[in-house]
Amino acid sequence: MEVLYITIGVSIIVALLFFYAFIRSVMSGQYEDTYTPSVRMLFDDELVIAKKNDEKEPNSNQESIKNN
Amino acid sequence: MDINSCYHCGASCGKSTILFDEKQFCCNGCKTVYEILSNNELGCYYDMQSTPGTIPSDIKGKYNYLENEDIIEKLLEFNDTETSVVEFFIPSIHCSSCIWILENLTKLNSGVTTSMVNFPKKTVRITFKNKATNLKQLAELMTSIGYEPYISLDDADAIKNKVDKTLIYQVTIAAFCFGNIMLLSFPEYFDANEFWLEKYKHVFRWLMFAMAIPVVFYSAKNYYISAYKGLSHKILNIDVPIALGVSVLFIRSTIEIAFDIGTGFFDSLAGLVFFLLLGKFFQQKTYNFLSFERDYKSYFPIAVTKLAGGIEKNIPVQDIENGDRLLIRNQELIPVDGILINGNASIDYSFVTGESMPVTKQSGDKLFAGGKQTEGAIEMEVINTISQSYLTQLWSNDVFNKTSDHTIKNITDTISKLFTINILTISFLGGLFWYFHNPSMVFNVVTAVLIIACPCALALSAPFAIGNILRIFGYRKFYLKNAETVENLAKIDTIIFDKTGTITSADKSNLIFRGESLGKEEIRVVKSVLRASNHPLSRTLYDHIQEEILTEKPTYFEEQLGKGIHAVLNTMDIKLGSASFVGATSSETNETAVHLAINNRFKGSYIFKNSYREGTKDVFEALSKKYKLVILSGDNDGEKEYLEKFLPKNTLFQFNQKPENKLEYIKKLQQNGGKVMMVGDGLNDAGALAQSNVGIVISENVNVFSPACDGILDAKFFNKLPKLLTISNKTMTIIKTSFILAFCYNVIGLYFALTGALTPIVAAILMPVSSISIVIFVTIMTNLISKRNI
């Protein structure tokens, strides 16, 4: 039954990893604005359509910013 | 969509429709925004939401101060020589199109690297290249497309304070440890003397101990601090028994596992702390987009234009010195006291006094800080610096320097005093009893009493009830600063209303003409005559009349101070002014009116009516049954008679009240034991709002401009005020009822504790059951009363 030390050890490490991930997400401010990203997510499509219609060369710099 | 509505902002276009690109616009401003956007391939701004825009305002010269290095430095969040980061507050953000356009600013100004909108806070954070653009350009760009940033002295002064996330971390750690300890303690709940379990129980126990350490020393640390603070103020607040319970739990459990007596109560300990913190977290409802702490600084402009030797120079308002010459443009606020040098001063002092009519000033007159110039530009000479000015002096009053440290005695603390004393007595008596019967049980019983009595359910009922009510109020556009406000609302016995802007709506005075109907020619003549007059009433009337003015000038014009105007134009002899001056027979004194006589014949009067908010009468009638009502107005008593008829009989009236008078009036009531709620709107009420037990601001637009207060109520919901008060009262009743329920649980727990039968499993069941059932009870009840009352 010495395997218990390993299983408990592993389970706690896994739990701690998730715990760390959560704390990091809070620190990085992910939960400060929960609304805007939900809207922003829908924009990229709109931008592509607009570009197709205008048939102008998309500025790759702007595109990458948009996707950030 | 309305056929005649503007493609950009959705306002009705009226007669002056501007056609452009097969779309109609209400004004040139809107058309320009459309032009800018469509030229930059941002036309799908209009696809996401119809008529998303706002009319841009005129900004010429307004942002010149953003070139001043000192100001730039204060506003920027980050700046190296290459790039800068700035965050603007933009009140007009309201839809998804707004987010889209602001995040695509880079298309309009290539100096912008990124822009990120925070919608709930209504802010946009812009990163830009210093070489390619600057703050002024950004501000002007945003204003030109209808998103005017709101920059105030407050922003510049603010120490960039970070959001305190400690509570979140504390809850997270408590939750993490609670869950894991629960799992680890599970085998021992069943107490089977099984071989493997016996062999490994020490591992489990010490793991639990390890997990409990961060809970006790980090998550629960605020309870010890608060308990210590309470005790040093000689107050037995609710945190005293909690801190005692947590420490006893930890010590007893550690002793138990150290000496192999039992499993300890680590699961209950972690659970207790977790639930308590959850309650705290729930109660901490914050409205990101509101500010309850504004003082005059948020109203004041950040910079002014100083005239020095004919050169205009922008300086921060703090740098204004006595003797400086300032240029105040139309719609700008006068930041300091001074003397008018030249220009047509028509100052709107409604911020300061609540008086809604602008006041005309002659050169040489004194101007006070806080007034807003409403007509053209003026020049003034400074006689007081910003900190010495009349308006800002109000803030040196003690009420604004209240230390937030003073311990507020809330309902839970009141009851916890009794509670703590009782618990200590019971544990002492229990210990005494067992000392004579079975001394080995004393430690067990005394600690068990302290553990089980740890007032988790008691401490949870108020946070959850009030937290829930705060949310319900929030849905009804009634935003309260904190939980104490709900309790204070339930205690008040006097309600004081400001008049202008509070019970009257801010869309200024209603103007009607009463009398013989006038011909078009006559109206035009009247307007032409008014043009020459500088009296505030004349200005308002002039703006009100829609007809074109005549090209001719009056052949005779005389303005008599305090009486009226006498003029001759196109053979028409016009008299405008007071009743006696015009020769009107009847005049109602309770109204502000301009009487008109043409060729010595009385024609009628233009009557300025304050429009009262919808439901004002009902609100007062409903409130008068329970509360003492007072109207405290900075206005003259012109409408007193009307109000006396209009409002319930026992309403008291006080007119011509200066801001400090209002403050003193409330102080006097409080000295006589009154609990006062002040309902106001402007800066002129700021002192009264701070002095009162509960200060509520009525606001037409909750996102901008409200003085420091305890709550903000959307003006549209003014008529709900009595109901909101009823709900706060009932909430307190619910909390009291839940206390009884919590006591029942404690009695059950005490039975186990005193008989020495408190096992970890009993504690592990009783504690969550009591807490959760209390939470459910108060949540359901508060939802019920709010449904019934609104």
Side-chain angles (χ1 to χ4, degrees):
Chain A
M1 280 295 269
E2 274 71 27
V3 72
L4 210 62
Y5 293 114
I6 299 170
T7 50
I8 289 180
V10 168
S11 75
I12 285 176
I13 287 169
V14 170
L16 281 174
L17 281 178
F18 278 102
F19 178 69
Y20 173 72
F22 178 75
I23 294 287
R24 256 198 64 169
S25 68
V26 173
M27 277 183 173
S28 70
Q30 277 188 33
Y31 295 91
E32 268 161 45
D33 179 9
T34 47
Y35 179 80
T36 325
S38 70
V39 183
R40 192 179 294 133
M41 189 178 88
L42 304 169
F43 287 156
D44 289 344
D45 296 339
E46 306 278 350
L47 203 69
V48 172
I49 292 166
K51 288 208 169 119
K52 268 183 199 160
N53 289 346
D54 292 342
E55 287 185 353
K56 278 185 186 165
E57 205 173 327
N59 186 331
S60 60
N61 183 29
Q62 284 160 11
E63 192 67 15
S64 69
I65 287 156
K66 194 63 222 139
N67 291 330
N68 274 340
Chain B
M1 209 204 321
D2 190 355
I3 289 173
N4 198 24
S5 70
C6 174
Y7 185 68
H8 176 71
C9 72
S12 171
C13 293
K15 284 170 195 162
S16 54
T17 313
I18 297 167
L19 274 176
F20 179 78
D21 205 9
E22 294 169 15
K23 276 135 195 148
Q24 44 187 352
F25 297 94
C26 66
C27 58
N28 262 319
C30 289
K31 191 199 89 175
T32 317
V33 179
Y34 174 81
E35 260 186 286
I36 295 174
L37 296 184
S38 56
N39 285 345
N40 287 284
E41 305 157 38
L42 295 172
C44 62
Y45 176 62
Y46 298 97
D47 299 339
M48 272 173 268
Q49 195 125 12
S50 62
T51 65
T54 32
I55 305 170
S57 44
D58 190 24
I59 47 157
K60 213 174 169 197
K62 193 177 168 184
Y63 290 114
N64 284 344
Y65 62 84
L66 288 177
E67 283 172 336
N68 183 308
E69 289 294 332
D70 291 347
I71 295 169
I72 290 177
E73 178 138 353
K74 278 178 182 165
L75 289 174
L76 289 181
E77 279 188 5
F78 170 84
N79 181 18
D80 61 18
T81 42
E82 288 287 304
T83 49
S84 302
V85 181
V86 66
E87 190 169 77
F88 285 121
F89 174 57
I90 302 180
S92 58
I93 291 180
H94 67 282
C95 67
S96 47
S97 282
C98 303
I99 301 175
W100 187 80
I101 194 73
L102 287 171
E103 298 205 333
N104 278 303
L105 274 183
T106 171
K107 289 201 156 192
L108 297 173
N109 184 333
S110 53
V112 175
T113 343
T114 51
S115 46
M116 280 271 269
V117 174
N118 183 327
F119 188 79
K121 271 188 176 164
K122 295 180 190 286
T123 54
V124 58
R125 178 188 298 266
I126 299 173
T127 315
F128 61 93
K129 295 192 192 86
N130 287 338
K131 274 183 195 142
T133 185
N134 59 36
L135 266 189
K136 185 190 162 195
Q137 280 178 16
L138 286 177
E140 282 179 349
L141 169 69
M142 281 192 283
T143 311
S144 73
I145 55 171
Y147 295 99
E148 188 179 352
Y150 176 67
I151 305 168
S152 72
L153 198 55
D154 220 14
D155 295 325
D157 271 7
I159 311 147
K160 306 279 189 261
N161 55 336
K162 277 188 175 169
V163 193
D164 188 18
K165 289 175 186 163
T166 322
L167 186 59
I168 300 175
Y169 299 139
Q170 286 176 336
V171 179
T172 321
I173 288 173
F176 175 80
C177 297
F178 173 49
N180 283 292
I181 293 176
M182 221 35 169
L183 280 176
L184 291 169
S185 62
F186 222 72
E188 292 216 54
Y189 283 162
F190 303 106
D191 202 26
N193 281 324
E194 207 238 339
F195 174 73
W196 290 113
L197 219 66
E198 277 296 310
K199 192 176 171 193
Y200 286 103
K201 70 179 181 192
H202 297 291
V203 180
F204 285 110
R205 284 175 183 180
W206 286 108
L207 269 173
M208 287 198 276
F209 171 77
M211 297 240 187
I213 286 176
V215 176
V216 174
F217 291 100
Y218 179 68
S219 296
K221 76 171 180 199
N222 287 7
Y223 289 102
Y224 315 127
I225 296 169
S226 159
Y228 172 75
K229 267 191 192 156
L231 284 176
S232 58
H233 283 93
K234 296 203 169 68
I235 299 166
L236 281 173
N237 56 22
I238 191 77
D239 294 334
V240 174
I242 290 175
L244 198 65
V246 171
S247 337
V248 169
L249 263 168
F250 184 67
I251 294 166
R252 175 172 168 176
S253 307
T254 314
I255 291 175
E256 278 194 6
I257 63 163
F259 296 100
D260 199 14
I261 307 170
T263 21
F265 297 84
F266 290 120
D267 51 343
S268 301
L269 168 65
L272 175 85
V273 174
F274 171 62
F275 282 121
L276 286 171
L277 290 173
L278 208 61
K280 242 189 195 176
F281 184 68
F282 192 76
Q283 192 183 19
Q284 200 189 42
K285 171 79 188 163
T286 48
Y287 301 102
N288 276 334
F289 56 98
L290 295 181
S291 170
F292 294 103
E293 311 292 348
R294 290 211 173 105
D295 61 12
Y296 67 92
K297 285 182 181 166
S298 346
Y299 288 82
F300 272 27
I302 201 161
V304 282
T305 315
K306 179 180 160 182
L307 295 172
I311 304 160
E312 289 184 17
K313 198 183 159 207
N314 285 286
I315 57 164
V317 280
Q318 295 95 324
D319 296 353
I320 298 175
E321 279 167 24
N322 287 356
D324 281 355
R325 284 265 183 124
L326 303 181
L327 178 77
I328 309 289
R329 295 193 180 83
N330 191 9
Q331 297 301 323
E332 275 185 355
L333 213 62
I334 299 171
V336 290
D337 297 348
I339 288 172
L340 181 66
I341 303 294
N342 63 44
N344 285 334
S346 172
I347 315 288
D348 175 4
Y349 276 119
S350 57
F351 262 177
V352 189
T353 60
E355 176 76 54
S356 52
M357 282 294 159
V359 192
T360 320
K361 295 278 180 186
Q362 312 295 329
S363 67
D365 283 353
K366 203 171 170 193
L367 302 175
F368 292 103
K372 192 191 227 177
Q373 163 67 354
T374 56
E375 198 191 296
I378 52 169
E379 264 180 61
M380 61 180 278
E381 191 174 306
V382 179
I383 52 171
N384 280 320
T385 58
I386 187 150
S387 55
Q388 301 164 336
S389 284
Y390 166 74
L391 182 67
T392 40
Q393 289 235 306
L394 186 66
W395 262 268
S396 51
N397 195 301
D398 288 342
V399 288
F400 292 101
N401 302 320
K402 261 194 269 180
T403 41
S404 53
D405 192 44
H406 75 124
T407 27
I408 309 151
K409 225 178 161 201
N410 59 32
I411 185 164
T412 320
D413 287 340
T414 324
I415 210 147
S416 83
K417 188 183 169 188
L418 205 71
F419 183 83
T420 316
I421 293 170
N422 275 326
I423 288 306
L424 290 174
T425 322
I426 289 171
S427 66
F428 178 72
L429 291 177
L432 211 64
F433 173 83
W434 282 100
Y435 181 73
F436 291 111
H437 283 256
N438 183 357
S440 65
M441 288 288 282
V442 173
F443 176 72
N444 183 339
V445 169
V446 171
T447 50
V449 170
L450 292 178
I451 289 168
I452 206 70
C454 190
C456 188
L458 200 66
L460 282 179
S461 60
F464 273 92
I466 291 174
N468 200 27
I469 282 297
L470 286 181
R471 276 174 184 72
I472 290 165
F473 279 173
Y475 296 141
R476 303 293 190 288
K477 302 278 170 75
F478 184 36
Y479 308 100
L480 293 181
K481 183 167 131 191
N482 54 27
E484 273 90 40
T485 314
V486 179
E487 288 186 32
N488 288 335
L489 270 180
K491 283 184 204 146
I492 53 164
D493 53 24
T494 311
I495 304 180
I496 297 181
F497 290 90
D498 169 52
K499 189 172 78 74
T500 318
T502 307
I503 55 174
T504 62
S505 54
D507 48 25
K508 287 298 170 195
S509 316
N510 251 337
L511 233 180
I512 51 163
F513 183 77
R514 197 183 291 158
E516 286 174 40
S517 58
L518 300 173
K520 195 174 173 180
E521 187 62 23
E522 287 172 321
I523 294 175
R524 290 179 69 179
V525 169
V526 168
K527 186 162 181 175
S528 311
V529 168
L530 284 170
R531 205 172 97 100
S533 166
N534 254 334
H535 192 274
L537 287 180
S538 315
R539 307 308 312 164
T540 321
L541 195 53
Y542 178 82
D543 291 335
H544 172 75
I545 298 173
Q546 296 294 325
E547 308 291 332
E548 298 277 307
I549 57 160
L550 298 169
T551 42
E552 297 96 330
K553 292 249 160 72
T555 46
Y556 169 79
F557 182 88
E558 191 200 358
E559 188 162 3
Q560 289 183 26
L561 213 66
K563 285 179 179 171
I565 313 164
H566 184 200
V568 180
L569 181 76
N570 278 5
T571 69
M572 263 191 260
D573 180 87
I574 305 282
K575 267 187 179 176
L576 272 165
S578 65
S580 56
F581 178 72
V582 169
T585 41
S586 73
S587 72
E588 293 187 40
T589 48
N590 60 345
E591 290 165 331
T592 312
V594 174
H595 303 272
L596 168 69
I598 296 176
N599 297 333
N600 278 328
R601 212 166 70 82
F602 178 62
K603 284 286 202 179
S605 338
Y606 286 99
I607 295 157
F608 296 82
K609 263 211 155 120
N610 271 320
S611 49
Y612 289 91
R613 283 189 198 289
E614 202 186 328
T616 302
K617 197 179 158 86
D618 298 334
V619 167
F620 273 74
E621 246 144 48
L623 291 175
S624 68
K625 288 179 198 130
K626 257 193 90 179
Y627 302 99
K628 211 173 110 191
L629 300 178
V630 184
I631 286 189
L632 216 54
S633 173
D635 255 344
N636 60 32
D637 58 1
E639 299 206 20
K640 191 177 174 186
E641 261 177 63
Y642 173 70
L643 278 170
E644 271 171 352
K645 268 184 257 162
F646 180 64
L647 298 174
K649 285 213 168 55
N650 47 8
T651 313
L652 295 173
F653 295 94
Q654 297 281 333
F655 289 98
N656 298 317
Q657 298 284 311
K658 288 204 179 101
E660 54 268 30
N661 298 139
K662 292 187 179 181
L663 199 156
E664 286 303 321
Y665 188 87
I666 291 177
K667 218 181 234 171
K668 214 175 267 171
L669 282 178
Q670 285 172 330
Q671 274 159 5
N672 297 329
K675 297 268 184 273
V676 184
M677 172 162 112
M678 173 77 204
V679 185
D681 72 316
L683 265 192
N684 59 320
D685 303 318
L689 288 167
Q691 177 65 40
S692 60
N693 300 70
V694 182
I696 303 290
V697 167
I698 302 286
S699 174
E700 302 276 344
N701 178 0
V702 292
N703 298 315
V704 262
F705 306 130
S706 57
C709 60
D710 299 306
I712 301 173
L713 175 63
D714 191 312
K716 287 195 277 304
F717 292 84
F718 177 67
N719 53 4
K720 293 265 193 287
L721 195 61
K723 282 179 176 167
L724 296 171
L725 287 175
T726 316
I727 292 176
S728 335
N729 285 332
K730 288 198 171 153
T731 309
M732 296 326 279
T733 321
I734 291 174
I735 293 173
K736 281 172 195 156
T737 321
S738 70
F739 281 168
I740 297 172
L741 205 64
F743 277 128
C744 294
Y745 284 119
N746 266 315
V747 170
I748 298 170
L750 281 175
Y751 166 77
F752 283 106
L754 287 170
T755 52
L758 184 75
T759 54
I761 189 156
V762 173
I765 293 171
L766 193 65
M767 210 258 328
V769 165
S770 63
S771 306
I772 292 169
S773 62
I774 289 281
V775 168
I776 293 174
F777 172 76
V778 294
T779 311
I780 291 178
M781 286 307 283
T782 42
N783 278 334
L784 217 64
I785 53 155
S786 48
K787 234 182 217 137
R788 226 176 259 168
N789 280 287
I790 300 184

